[in-house]
Amino acid sequence: MPYILLVLVISVLGVTSVSYAEPFTLPHTNTVLLKDKHTENEYPITIKLPRSYQKQNQKRYPVVYLLDANYSLPITSGASRFMMNSGTIEEVIIVAVGYQKGVSGLDSRIYDYTPFEDKNWQRKTGGASQYLNYLKHTVLPYIEADFRTTQKSTLVGNSLGGLFAAYTLFTEPSLFSNYIIGSPSVWFKENSILAMAVKPAANTTKLYIAVGELEEREGEKMVSGARQLAAKINKHSGALVTTNLFVIPQARHATAFPTTITQALDWIYQVNGN
């Protein structure tokens, strides 16, 4: 058979060798459902252990707690993997908290992450206090009991999650050692977070706030809000809080978080000498 005819037959018949591999999963991860002891609500909690966890069975690790697990975990896992494996930053345990079981992700995050009830919203708001109790009394004790952790932990929140992280810093500053606040929704209920009382931190705390440069003109003046939030924290949270505010060049709300988490983890967990 002439070569050109053979090529034609192969293209028509679609002769291709395809085999299917196992679906991709994030390495070293496991997911559990943890029930709130007070409300009976359940949330999926995904734990990602560092590469050395099984081999170095006496070593303890700091913990990074992520909100919005569906979005934040894949980004944080990928961004931190090379930094940890190359020794640029400390190895950490990543704990990603998902949305309430049986509730849409949008409804879950809007209720859980907002500190105030706002009846102008069609969806239910104002559940941050209840959600903070869940983290404090259910999630953190489970992680600390079942895994080899240090006393150093970080809370990461973005957008409405950033609003929740600010609320946590204002009300329970010692619950976490560090806070990463990305593109915070300071605008929620007419900037009510800026009027909140602030409990000064009793321990050394690092705070990283980042927002995209282009978020200022996307509708909610997010850069101005982030600057006002940082100013409030610097004024009221006390001398033990070190704040780093970064306005990300050319970043929008939809694109800022990967830079936020990468730079923040590097700032907080950088190994001396790097």
Side-chain angles (χ1 to χ4, degrees):
M1 179 181 295
Y3 174 76
I4 192 168
L5 182 58
L6 177 61
V7 172
L8 180 61
V9 169
I10 291 174
S11 63
V12 170
L13 295 179
V15 179
T16 307
S17 177
V18 176
S19 60
Y20 292 93
E22 291 294 321
F24 174 78
T25 57
L26 294 177
H28 312 297
T29 58
N30 185 46
T31 302
V32 297
L33 273 175
L34 289 185
K35 182 179 291 188
D36 189 317
K37 300 174 183 177
H38 303 288
T39 66
E40 299 295 306
N41 295 340
E42 288 185 306
Y43 296 82
I45 313 296
T46 300
I47 302 102
K48 182 182 180 186
L49 300 175
R51 185 173 62 173
S52 69
Y53 190 88
Q54 302 301 337
K55 293 181 179 179
Q56 299 187 29
N57 57 19
Q58 299 300 314
K59 184 177 179 179
R60 291 185 171 273
Y61 300 82
V63 184
V64 173
Y65 291 90
L66 305 175
L67 305 178
D68 283 312
N70 300 32
Y71 171 69
S72 62
L73 177 57
I75 294 172
T76 304
S77 174
S80 64
R81 184 177 182 182
F82 178 73
M83 291 194 292
M84 287 194 286
N85 291 350
S86 64
T88 302
I89 65 171
E90 296 179 64
E91 288 187 299
V92 301
I93 297 171
I94 298 174
V95 176
V97 185
Y99 304 124
Q100 183 185 338
K101 183 181 178 182
V103 177
S104 76
L106 190 59
D107 285 344
S108 178
R109 71 187 304 271
I110 287 175
Y111 180 67
D112 288 336
Y113 299 167
T114 51
F116 322 101
E117 183 180 8
D118 189 343
K119 293 184 177 179
N120 291 321
W121 283 56
Q122 293 182 350
R123 290 181 167 87
K124 192 175 180 182
T125 54
S129 176
Q130 176 180 291
Y131 188 71
L132 181 55
N133 283 333
Y134 169 67
L135 295 181
K136 181 178 181 179
H137 297 294
T138 302
V139 179
L140 271 66
Y142 170 78
I143 296 298
E144 291 165 3
D146 281 42
F147 299 92
R148 301 191 311 274
T149 66
T150 68
Q151 296 301 308
K152 299 294 184 181
S153 62
T154 297
L155 177 64
V156 181
N158 188 68
S159 193
L160 283 178
L163 176 67
F164 176 84
Y167 167 78
T168 303
L169 176 63
F170 290 172
T171 57
E172 295 263 11
S174 298
L175 192 58
F176 300 93
S177 312
N178 312 294
Y179 293 83
I180 298 173
I181 298 178
S183 303
S185 298
V186 175
W187 51 265
F188 180 78
K189 200 177 182 182
E190 299 179 345
N191 300 322
S192 291
I193 191 71
L194 298 177
M196 273 193 67
V198 177
K199 182 178 180 180
N203 303 306
T204 301
T205 304
K206 281 188 170 184
L207 166 66
Y208 191 95
I209 303 175
V211 62
E213 175 188 32
L214 303 181
E215 293 188 68
E216 181 70 8
R217 57 177 186 260
E218 286 187 310
E220 302 294 348
K221 295 186 176 180
M222 302 281 279
V223 177
S224 297
R227 292 189 187 280
Q228 289 176 288
L229 181 65
K232 179 180 177 68
I233 292 166
N234 288 334
K235 183 176 181 180
H236 297 290
S237 288
L240 293 176
V241 177
T242 301
T243 303
N244 188 342
L245 173 64
F246 179 40
V247 179
I248 305 168
Q250 300 182 20
R252 296 177 285 109
H253 192 69
T255 63
F257 181 69
T259 300
T260 298
I261 192 63
T262 303
Q263 296 300 321
L265 291 176
D266 185 54
W267 182 62
I268 293 170
Y269 292 109
Q270 186 176 109
V271 174
N272 292 335
N274 288 311

